[in-house]
Amino acid sequence: MPSKPLHIKATKITDAFWSREIDLIRDAVIPYQWDALNDRVEGAEPSWWMHNMKAAARAIAARKAGRYTPKNKLPFIVATPQESETPLDDEFYGFVFQDSDGYKWLEAVAYQLMRCPDAALQAEAQTAIDAICAAQEDDGYLDTCYTINNRDRAFTNLKDHHELYCFGHLVEAAVAWHQATGHDDLLNAAKRFGRCIAAKFGPGLERGCPGHEIAEMALFRLFEETGEAEWRDLANFFLDVRGTAPSTFALEENKARAAQGQAELPVTTERYQYYQAHIPVREMKEAVGHAVRQMYLCSGMADAARENNDAAMLEACKRLWQSTVRQKLYVTGGVGGKHEGEAFSRAYDLPSDTAYSETCAAVGLVFFARRMLQMIPDSPYADVMEQALYNTVLAGMALDGKSFFYVNPLEVDPKACETDGRLRHVKPVRQKWFGCACCPPNIARLVSSLPAYMVTTEDNAAYIHLYIGSELQLSLGGQNLRVKMDANLLRDGKIDISILEGEASGTLSFRIPAWTRNAKIHAAGKTQTTENGYCRLNGVWRTGDTVQLDFPMPIRMLTANPLVRETEGMVCFARGPLVYCAEEKDNGKDLYLLRAQPEKLDDAQVDQIETANLPLPVLKIPVRRVQTKADAPLYQDWTAEETADTVVTLIPYFAWSNRGKGEMRVWLH
């Protein structure tokens, strides 16, 4: 039987590290992003979100009054006024998916309100919701780009123009808002837009599917929230037509070309691989194309497999998971190796310096992993979820919550980033905001909803996937338990579980992390078995019962599969869920000259530094540094390298670039 994530309201996070991160989202990130959405952040690229919502409302009023003239401007890149121009009230500015930024912000706000009611924050969010509802047309259509520019051309370019993507994020925000506040204003707006879409696409109607996936998993979530089968059916339709003949995107493109007197385009596998629309979803074997799209599609496919008991869909999910994590996953939990198309590359192509590893793609991998865990409680899914969460997801945000990475490389030389066009996408410092600002609010909504990824439950069983200090309200066999989990994985792998209140019969299953060695688990009076990487403790649980988990966290020296050319002959270091990196701040320039010494790993030590009021565990690793000579020729006869013993300080990867600009490196020779 599939399990369900524990509701956010049933979890109180007490973990020192994660409480700080969630509080940072509430106290710094959400206010900062609200200012960004209203274009009040000095020095940041404009967002245009509130501007577009208000302009759409004016366009609707003008159309009703007979004063509206279609603009026929449908930009895919960026429409923005020149520096010498004044923005016009009735123009659409930004990317065609700009609406989604505010929806993600609202979703994060909703999760924060579930955790801690805040009347002022709720009122601020209501301002955004009022603007959204005012921008919705009478038939339910809600997309500011087309409402402002030309509604007659709505739904004519699903492949590139993101109406269904924006709809998906609207649904996610609406469900979260409904769960947080009980208010159905945003939920009703989402359902009205959904019915507008369903009146055009579906069995017996037009063929179509999202060019950028997320509507699929959002629709399944709307179905779960409302019990209305129409949303499940629409999600299934989008999945079933994807990649099938006749190609929905080819129909779109050729219709537009015919209107211009142009010849039809040939339909090739390569043409629509970027969109994961090259073959039917149940036949997919390899993660390809735009990495965020692929992870969102996988999440929707996993929802479909679970809700429909679809064995073929589940098998496709398993194949795509294996393709991703066995051949295309960075050690930091990032995915998507190519700058071109923000895409997956070929198997084992994982460059460090040109890595794309978009923050949103790591967020999507977390979504996918949790959904697979709901169907198959197998520890590798949780291991990868944790790996992405603690490393790439957190690296996307500065420790003060006010600057962000879109791209997450594993090696940075600031001078190269500034002078080499091949590295133009790599930034050595985080940016205040982006014109394409998908990543910052994605981090905010994921971290704010962290409790939904920690535990999943069945009728008489609960699976603990992530070890984060918290109090949990669990139900086993209909009986309630209040459970305390004392954990701090930045400190050590000792986790204490105690039953604070209640009595219930059932199974508590605890993941044995891949990063531990010689795990010890003690629970008096409980039957203990191990299955799929989880220790299953079965029995009657009563107030006062305890479980002691001891997961040693040795410093590990990792190496990649030799088929990964870029890291052959290199190692990196990890401890617990954290991957580490070297920074110029601690170790000077030319980090590529450092040489790890495997034989001295036992001499490595764990130390601590403090950055941004956050105690960080750092590693002190004995290494050698190659000695260079300023007057040495460019080429010379080979001789053994001259080296000097030294110690390298490694910090958690998520914390790099918080102490000024400098070199960074995960992999050492």
Side-chain angles (χ1 to χ4, degrees):
M1 175 185 294
S3 61
K4 296 182 178 180
L6 194 63
H7 198 284
I8 292 172
K9 291 182 177 180
T11 305
K12 177 183 178 182
I13 300 242
T14 58
D15 188 276
F17 174 70
W18 283 107
S19 289
R20 178 194 182 277
E21 292 298 308
I22 296 172
D23 286 347
L24 182 68
I25 298 292
R26 183 195 65 209
D27 298 336
V29 178
I30 283 176
Y32 181 88
Q33 291 184 359
W34 179 242
D35 284 342
L37 292 172
N38 285 275
D39 302 319
R40 296 195 295 251
V41 176
E42 185 177 351
E45 295 183 51
S47 163
W48 304 114
W49 187 83
M50 185 61 79
H51 167 94
N52 289 339
M53 286 293 163
K54 292 180 178 179
R58 287 192 290 268
I60 293 169
R63 191 181 298 123
K64 290 179 178 179
R67 294 184 286 100
Y68 175 80
T69 302
K71 299 178 177 61
N72 288 312
K73 297 178 181 178
L74 295 178
F76 179 60
I77 307 299
V78 177
T80 186
Q82 301 298 314
E83 290 185 7
S84 60
E85 297 177 348
T86 301
L88 301 176
D89 287 345
D90 63 346
E91 291 285 338
F92 175 88
Y93 294 117
F95 289 84
V96 292
F97 45 80
Q98 215 77 12
D99 291 3
S100 64
D101 293 344
Y103 301 154
K104 283 182 278 189
W105 178 83
L106 274 170
E107 188 182 351
V109 169
Y111 297 137
Q112 291 285 345
L113 293 176
M114 291 183 202
R115 174 175 176 253
C116 183
D118 183 326
L121 179 59
Q122 184 169 333
E124 197 166 56
Q126 190 64 53
T127 301
I129 292 170
D130 291 344
I132 293 165
C133 292
Q136 185 165 37
E137 302 194 41
D138 290 345
D139 66 350
Y141 186 81
L142 181 50
D143 187 278
T144 64
C145 179
Y146 282 89
T147 292
I148 294 168
N149 287 327
N150 189 343
R151 170 63 197 277
D152 291 342
R153 293 177 63 183
F155 299 130
T156 58
N157 189 350
L158 299 183
K159 180 171 71 72
D160 294 320
H161 280 185
H162 290 66
E163 290 153 286
L164 299 183
Y165 170 80
C166 291
F167 165 70
H169 277 298
L170 172 63
V171 169
E172 294 279 354
V175 172
W177 183 254
H178 185 249
Q179 292 178 348
T181 67
H183 296 170
D184 59 7
D185 45 0
L186 195 61
L187 190 68
N188 287 336
K191 289 163 65 172
R192 290 181 61 217
F193 191 13
R195 292 191 175 108
C196 175
I197 294 166
K200 187 173 183 66
F201 302 103
L205 302 172
E206 291 187 29
R207 291 170 59 83
C209 63
H212 192 313
E213 302 90 335
I214 195 177
E216 301 87 346
M217 63 173 166
L219 283 164
F220 280 114
R221 190 173 180 200
L222 186 57
F223 163 64
E224 292 172 355
E225 181 71 8
T226 65
E228 297 165 354
E230 60 187 305
W231 312 123
R232 178 195 60 202
D233 295 344
L234 184 57
N236 287 333
F237 174 80
F238 285 152
L239 290 169
D240 289 341
V241 302
R242 191 174 208 89
T244 62
S247 166
T248 62
F249 295 156
L251 290 172
E252 256 182 13
E253 290 189 300
N254 286 326
K255 183 178 180 180
R257 291 176 68 85
Q260 298 173 12
Q262 299 175 334
E264 287 193 356
L265 290 167
V267 178
T268 64
T269 298
E270 292 76 16
R271 180 163 183 78
Y272 299 117
Q273 193 176 68
Y274 171 85
Y275 305 91
Q276 300 81 41
H278 53 302
I279 57 175
V281 294
R282 291 173 182 81
E283 298 175 17
M284 291 182 175
K285 298 178 181 178
E286 181 182 4
V288 295
H290 187 269
V292 181
R293 285 172 164 89
Q294 178 70 86
M295 292 297 96
Y296 285 5
L297 174 61
C298 288
S299 299
M301 290 170 62
D303 282 338
R306 183 185 70 249
E307 293 292 348
N308 302 325
N309 195 24
D310 187 332
M313 191 75 84
L314 177 57
E315 288 304 310
C317 289
K318 290 179 180 178
R319 292 192 300 269
L320 290 168
W321 176 269
Q322 292 300 323
S323 170
T324 300
V325 305
R326 293 183 65 86
Q327 299 178 331
K328 302 188 178 188
L329 179 70
Y330 280 101
V331 71
T332 51
V335 290
K338 290 198 305 184
H339 167 241
E340 296 82 8
E342 304 178 328
F344 282 101
S345 184
R346 62 191 179 277
Y348 302 110
D349 183 37
L350 294 165
S352 293
D353 58 342
T354 62
Y356 206 74
S357 185
E358 185 182 338
T359 302
C360 284
V363 170
L365 180 59
V366 172
F367 294 162
F368 184 23
R370 205 280 309 282
R371 285 162 171 79
M372 293 303 289
L373 281 168
Q374 287 180 245
M375 294 182 287
I376 309 170
D378 197 2
S379 62
Y381 296 120
D383 288 330
V384 171
M385 181 169 71
E386 183 182 66
Q387 181 182 3
L389 187 61
Y390 273 90
N391 296 289
T392 298
V393 171
L394 284 182
M397 179 177 70
L399 294 178
D400 66 1
K402 294 185 179 180
S403 58
F404 307 90
F405 277 139
Y406 193 107
V407 174
N408 294 279
L410 282 73
E411 177 183 333
V412 166
D413 175 355
K415 186 175 181 180
C417 294
E418 294 159 5
T419 60
D420 189 337
R422 294 168 297 180
L423 298 172
R424 64 186 182 276
H425 60 289
V426 177
K427 307 298 181 186
V429 295
R430 292 173 180 83
Q431 308 299 293
K432 286 185 175 182
W433 197 251
F434 309 96
C436 175
C438 52
C439 296
N442 238 355
I443 299 170
R445 72 187 184 114
L446 176 58
V447 173
S448 296
S449 63
L450 183 63
Y453 298 84
M454 293 166 51
V455 179
T456 58
T457 62
E458 297 175 2
D459 284 345
N460 65 342
Y463 298 90
I464 286 76
H465 307 300
L466 298 176
Y467 296 107
I468 295 172
S470 54
E471 290 188 10
L472 312 169
Q473 301 286 344
L474 301 180
S475 177
L476 297 181
Q479 301 299 309
N480 295 327
L481 291 176
R482 188 159 65 94
V483 180
K484 181 180 180 182
M485 178 160 53
D486 183 9
N488 185 345
L489 293 189
L490 265 66
R491 178 190 63 207
D492 58 36
K494 296 183 185 297
I495 299 118
D496 293 323
I497 310 292
S498 55
I499 308 301
L500 298 180
E501 185 179 4
E503 180 173 329
S505 177
T507 303
L508 297 182
S509 295
F510 299 92
R511 176 177 63 101
I512 303 173
W515 43 256
T516 194
R517 303 290 183 270
N518 303 314
K520 297 181 178 64
I521 298 171
H522 176 73
K526 303 297 183 289
T527 302
Q528 183 169 324
T529 58
T530 301
E531 182 178 349
N532 295 334
Y534 282 77
C535 177
R536 298 169 60 87
L537 301 175
N538 186 60
V540 177
W541 298 90
R542 298 183 177 89
T543 302
D545 282 355
T546 61
V547 181
Q548 289 80 43
L549 309 175
D550 186 0
F551 298 144
M553 291 171 50
I555 297 172
R556 295 175 297 139
M557 182 183 290
L558 307 180
T559 185
N561 186 311
L563 294 175
V564 182
R565 294 171 180 261
E566 293 84 0
T567 53
E568 175 58 17
M570 297 184 184
V571 296
C572 71
F573 294 87
R575 178 175 174 267
L578 300 179
V579 173
Y580 282 75
C581 66
E583 275 200 300
E584 181 181 331
K585 175 77 172 179
D586 307 299
N587 307 290
K589 292 181 178 294
D590 300 328
L591 299 175
Y592 72 96
L593 295 176
L594 297 173
R595 301 289 183 263
Q597 301 184 80
E599 68 278 6
K600 292 190 176 181
L601 182 60
D602 289 344
D603 296 331
Q605 296 179 355
V606 180
D607 202 347
Q608 182 173 290
I609 63 172
E610 187 163 306
T611 299
N613 297 317
L614 175 64
L616 290 175
V618 300
L619 307 182
K620 301 285 190 177
I621 310 288
V623 298
R624 293 174 290 120
R625 179 182 279 274
V626 175
Q627 302 299 290
T628 60
K629 297 179 181 178
D631 58 350
L634 184 59
Y635 303 104
Q636 57 191 308
D637 292 336
W638 181 88
T639 59
E641 292 179 332
E642 293 183 24
T643 62
D645 289 342
T646 187
V647 173
V648 64
T649 298
L650 304 179
I651 69 166
Y653 173 76
F654 76 79
W656 82 276
S657 190
N658 277 280
R659 299 176 294 167
K661 184 189 298 185
E663 291 184 27
M664 182 277 290
R665 193 177 184 93
V666 170
W667 292 96
L668 304 181
H669 291 282

